[in-house]
Amino acid sequence: MPEAYIYDHVRTPRGRGKADGALHEVTALALATVPLQALKERNNLPEDSVDDVILGVVDPVGEAGSDIARFAAIKAGLGEAVPGVQISRFCASGLDAVNFAAAQIMAGQHELVIGGGAESMSRVGIGASGGAWPMDPSMAVPAYFMPQGVSADLIATKYGFSRDDVDAYAVQSQQRAAKAWDEGRFNKSVVPVKDVNGLTILAKDEHMRPTTTMQSLAQLQPSFTVVGQMGGFDAVAIQSHPEIERVNYVHHAGNSSGIVDGAGAVLLGSKEAGAKHGLKPRAKIRAFANIGSEPAMMLTGPVDVTEKLFERSGMKKSDIDLFELNEAFASVVLRYMQAFEIDNSKINVNGGAIALGHPLGATGAMILGTVLDELERTNKSTALVTLCIGGGMGTATIIERV
């Protein structure tokens, strides 16, 4: 079986996903184009040399719909012969796009593929694409539908994480992200977003709050108490987990992932494609997996999929130098660390979505690139990347430097 190598990756900065965010004026198509164009230019890719472009987009409607991957590829100058497809597995879409690209190469059907994602959350609102899961009682009731924030608080309650625990983790995320930027750890992989005149709109993640402290977070009220208690989701949580007497609400905007705009992309190819285009491989895809997990708890999928991935790959925790888990909510990471007894110094070492933000369809590709850069910076070998997913799923990928 051919191996799938990672040759390069880039991402945009993350802009605040609001009307006053720096990237709000940038259309979803223009945003998706930025990393594709950067990969083409950085690697001197001839037109029509890429076999496919796969982009994760969680809400592919309006300007973000109509197979944005195809048109971003054209706009980026990759060539008219380059096709594109957009996919959605909610928050893991960007990582799945990379895995799908790797699978095409491993199957021997394609030679050079770009996987990534884009999400303009300030222009196409979260949940804009709708769906039966929260709206259709025939689906919502048996699946114990509840807002993700309530699920995050259910995790904190069940596994014993206090308000201080989740806030302390959030402060750490902010500190690590600020240090990473101060030390230039993101410099080689973040490409600025520019306007039509070539002027830079945004060159650095703007969601960060590096002055965050335990004291400042203590001023924030839990975000999901009202929807849980008044909306009846407390009852849903207790019905799904009767061992819980009541939900302890601990999550708020300061210890949950930020709503942002952003895009990222990863260039993958076979050994032969790299030789043909003069590319030096940086890592290879060792293994990847997906799994369905409990819909009510919803956000514990990373634990389940990591267990599956270890079993399928024959690898174990001690084989992994670094872990990168999307910080959807602080309790998600704390539960993952608890389940595998992972040392805090080995996971999300450059901060995560609590500090930097979570551009839904792009995050998976972004964090894979982040951990690859960190492997290179620290001369380590192997990393595991994973994300929790709405509806109760998990996706995970193991990469190894070459």
Side-chain angles (χ1 to χ4, degrees), residues 103-315:
Q104 291 181 348
I105 295 161
M106 291 173 170
Q109 303 306 303
H110 285 160
E111 293 292 317
L112 204 62
V113 186
I114 294 174
E119 209 80 40
S120 179
M121 300 181 75
S122 71
R123 297 177 64 90
V124 182
I126 185 170
S129 55
W133 173 41
M135 303 301 295
D136 184 343
S138 70
M139 183 70 256
V141 173
Y144 295 106
F145 170 77
M146 64 185 84
Q148 284 194 358
V150 178
S151 291
D153 286 325
L154 177 59
I155 292 171
T157 304
K158 181 176 175 65
Y159 293 104
F161 305 126
S162 68
R163 171 68 183 262
D164 281 351
D165 292 333
V166 292
D167 281 359
Y169 182 82
V171 171
Q172 174 186 274
S173 179
Q174 295 284 355
Q175 292 173 343
R176 287 181 171 181
K179 182 179 181 181
W181 268 108
D182 290 344
E183 295 184 356
R185 299 183 191 179
F186 298 137
N187 288 354
K188 70 178 180 180
S189 301
V190 174
V191 293
V193 178
K194 299 182 179 182
D195 64 15
V196 293
N197 298 311
L199 300 176
T200 296
I201 299 173
L202 185 66
K204 183 177 180 179
D205 299 313
E206 69 169 344
H207 183 267
M208 295 187 300
R209 297 179 178 86
T211 60
T212 298
T213 64
M214 291 291 287
Q215 290 72 28
S216 64
L217 292 183
Q219 305 303 310
L220 301 177
Q221 296 298 312
S223 297
F224 306 103
T225 306
V226 173
V227 69
Q229 296 178 349
M230 302 297 290
F233 292 108
D234 261 11
V236 177
I238 294 169
Q239 184 181 20
S240 65
H241 283 268
E243 73 276 15
I244 301 298
E245 294 183 4
R246 65 180 182 85
V247 177
N248 182 26
Y249 287 96
V250 296
H251 285 92
H252 50 74
N255 56 34
S256 307
S257 56
I259 295 173
V260 294
D261 304 332
V266 180
L267 177 64
L268 300 102
S270 65
K271 182 178 181 179
E272 292 74 17
K276 177 181 178 180
H277 296 289
L279 304 173
K280 181 180 179 180
R282 297 171 60 180
K284 64 181 178 180
I285 303 291
R286 280 289 302 268
F288 54 84
N290 299 95
I291 201 168
S293 61
E294 183 193 339
M297 194 72 79
M298 193 187 311
L299 307 174
T300 54
V303 174
D304 301 324
V305 77
T306 296
E307 291 173 344
K308 179 179 180 178
L309 188 57
F310 283 157
E311 181 181 354
R312 291 284 183 90
S313 66
M315 300 179 73

Side-chain angles (χ1 to χ4, degrees), residues 348-368:
N348 296 355
V349 298
N350 291 312
I354 290 173
L356 300 170
H358 174 26
L360 304 177
T363 302
M366 286 182 165
I367 64 175
L368 182 143

